[in-house]
Amino acid sequence: MSLAELLLLAVGLAMDAFAVSVCGSMVLTPDNRLRGALRFGSWFGAFQFLMPVIGYFGAVSFRDYITEYDHWLAFFLLLYLG
C-alpha cells in the first residue's frame, strides 16, 4: 500500500466517522446541537484519520523484525479467529 493509498483511506475513514458522529450528536438539545455536532465530528474524524497513518509508520519501522515469520503469525491468528 502506497502512501497515497493510505492517505485516501484515512480521509475516507475520517469523512465516514465525521458523518456518523454528526448524526449521533443530533440527539443533543437544539441549543448545543451545532456546536456539539462539530466538536464530536472533528474529534472523531481526526482520530479516524490519524490511526491508519500512525499504524502505517509503526508497521514500516517494525517490519524488519518480523518478515521472517510473519506468514506464520498471520496463519495462527486466522486459525484462532476461524
Side-chain angles (χ1 to χ4, degrees):
M1 178 178 289
S2 70
L3 186 60
E5 291 171 334
L6 171 75
L7 289 177
L8 287 173
L9 174 68
V11 168
L13 285 172
M15 287 189 296
D16 177 54
F18 183 81
V20 167
S21 60
V22 167
C23 292
S25 66
M26 295 307 265
V27 299
L28 297 173
T29 62
D31 314 358
N32 299 331
R33 189 170 290 159
L34 179 62
R35 188 171 47 122
L38 292 175
R39 188 180 65 199
F40 295 148
S42 297
W43 279 104
F44 203 155
F47 279 108
Q48 287 290 19
F49 174 80
L50 286 175
M51 283 182 209
V53 174
I54 292 170
Y56 173 79
F57 287 116
V60 166
S61 64
F62 186 67
R63 84 175 146 196
D64 294 336
Y65 301 110
I66 198 169
T67 53
E68 294 178 16
Y69 56 88
D70 60 351
H71 55 282
W72 289 109
L73 181 63
F75 171 73
F76 286 117
L77 282 173
L78 290 172
L79 184 68
Y80 173 75
L81 292 174

